[in-house]
Amino acid sequence: MATTIKDIARVVGCSPSTVSRALSDHPQINENTKKAIRVVAKKMNFQINQVAAGLRKHKTNCIGVIVPQISNYFFSSILSGIQKVAAQAQYQVFVCETNESVEQEAGYIKSLSAGRTDGILMSLSKTTDTFDHLNDLNRQHIPLVLFDRTSDKVNVDQVEAEDESGAFMAVDYLLKGGSKRIAYLSGPENLRNSKNRLKGYKAALKKHKLSFKNKLVHVCDFNDADIKEAMTELFANNSNIDAVFAANDIMAVEAIQVLKSMQIAVPDQVAVVGFGDYPIARIVEPKLTTVSHNAHSIGINAAKRLFKAIEGVSLDFKEEKISSELIIRDSTR
């Protein structure tokens, strides 16, 4: 049977309320009494019910994290960063997976905001095209921080990679290496990071005095079949493509597989660059040149901003960019 506050009170010889206040570090309990109670509590393996204690203080000591896919390496790396900060703050983390559904996203927001958490961290689903459920959090004064997949339609703190400059670095590197006809496999158009990476792609072309050609850009869903179809269509209509820039590493690796099936050599005939620096980038043959956007740091910084908001500390800016870095491997010349 679990040890209770009453059990500790009997051993120490004080009231249960004194034990409760001592374990909560109440200023009216002297330090010697606190120390004695903590020693007994530890010996008796007493575990504080954080949820019950939080309800009494109008705090839960829990945060909610909503992600599109838990199995995705990028999001799991972000979760690792969040968990690190939460553990230091002695907070528990509830993780919810939307499976790219805005309906599930809204449902989780409703559930987590019903007194279950002190704040929410979230990356938008690819189908999120309405923001009433997020703006409701603002009206309820529940702290919300968006990470990676963010939106300018919600007035909250947001943490994301330097998507535009990262894409610029990738395409600029390809152009400096001699590529002239670079196809771009974009993510869903409604995601802001897809738009920003497209901006970086266009900016690099402009720097090298090359015109943007819409026919070299193909919007893809995040699945192999869609990427294969996009690659097949791009190369059927543009036989002189000499490089492919993909919005993430999963798309880039699938692009390499499609090129191999077409008997097109990578990088000798077509160079390939991804975005993300997932572990698969170091395993695929040839190893993938990619942009690292420091997922772990995104998680750490997003969590820090959420805890600042929970504590009521006002920050000077709403958007924070985590630096990107080009990792050069064998898929480029």
Side-chain angles (χ1 to χ4, degrees), residues 15-284:
S15 68
S17 63
T18 299
V19 173
S20 178
R21 285 183 290 170
L23 293 175
S24 299
D25 201 26
H26 197 285
Q28 290 183 358
I29 307 299
N30 70 62
E31 290 302 319
N32 288 335
T33 301
K34 288 179 184 177
K35 184 175 180 181
I37 289 171
R38 287 169 185 156
V39 168
V40 172
K42 185 175 182 180
K43 286 181 179 178
M44 297 178 73
N45 295 315
F46 176 71
Q47 299 293 322
I48 296 174
N49 186 330
Q50 294 286 3
V51 173
L55 289 173
R56 288 192 294 273
K57 301 175 186 175
H58 303 289
K59 283 185 66 179
T60 66
N61 281 85
C62 299
I63 59 171
V65 181
I66 303 174
V67 295
Q69 288 184 320
I70 295 172
S71 61
N72 184 299
Y73 169 78
F74 174 70
F75 290 116
S76 65
S77 296
I78 287 179
L79 286 170
S80 176
I82 291 170
Q83 181 61 54
K84 180 178 181 180
V85 177
Q88 291 170 348
Q90 297 185 312
Y91 263 68
Q92 295 182 22
V93 179
F94 295 153
V95 181
C96 305
E97 180 180 41
T98 66
N99 289 307
E100 302 286 11
S101 164
V102 67
E103 289 80 16
Q104 286 194 45
E105 181 180 283
Y108 286 135
I109 287 288
K110 184 176 180 180
S111 178
L112 292 172
S113 63
R116 291 179 170 86
T117 58
D118 297 332
I120 297 172
L121 291 159
M122 190 176 77
S123 186
L124 300 173
S125 80
K126 68 183 181 186
T127 58
T128 301
D129 56 3
T130 179
F131 300 91
D132 289 346
H133 56 302
L134 302 185
N135 289 319
D136 281 345
L137 293 177
N138 269 343
R139 288 189 284 271
Q140 297 173 60
H141 304 292
I142 296 172
L144 169 69
V145 175
L146 296 180
F147 61 85
D148 182 53
R149 298 187 188 175
T150 62
S151 174
D152 54 11
K153 296 181 181 179
V154 187
N155 187 31
V156 296
D157 285 351
Q158 311 196 25
V159 181
E160 59 191 0
E162 289 182 339
D163 292 301
E164 184 174 344
S165 64
F168 176 88
M169 282 190 290
V171 179
D172 182 56
Y173 176 74
L174 287 169
L175 293 166
K176 286 177 178 177
S179 297
K180 298 294 182 186
R181 298 272 295 178
I182 303 171
Y184 174 44
L185 297 177
S186 171
E189 290 179 292
N190 63 311
L191 296 178
R192 187 159 74 163
N193 52 13
S194 294
K195 296 175 183 176
N196 286 338
R197 289 170 199 178
L198 179 59
K199 287 180 182 178
Y201 169 84
K202 290 180 176 179
L205 293 176
K206 184 175 181 180
K207 174 190 172 184
H208 289 264
K209 296 181 171 55
L210 294 172
S211 59
F212 169 74
K213 292 180 171 54
N214 194 59
K215 65 180 181 179
L216 292 178
V217 176
H218 207 298
V219 176
C220 301
D221 205 341
F222 297 126
N223 64 72
D224 292 350
D226 201 45
I227 298 162
K228 183 176 181 179
E229 181 181 341
M231 286 288 292
T232 302
E233 185 176 324
L234 279 167
F235 278 80
N237 298 325
N238 305 277
S239 59
N240 56 350
I241 290 173
D242 54 17
V244 174
F245 171 52
N248 69 29
D249 285 351
I250 302 301
M251 299 166 81
V253 169
E254 181 61 24
I256 289 175
Q257 303 312 311
V258 174
L259 289 169
K260 285 181 178 180
S261 72
M262 293 176 174
Q263 305 298 310
I264 297 174
V266 179
D268 295 338
Q269 293 173 269
V270 175
V272 179
V273 179
F275 206 110
D277 197 25
Y278 297 7
I280 196 171
R282 298 182 287 277
I283 299 170
V284 68

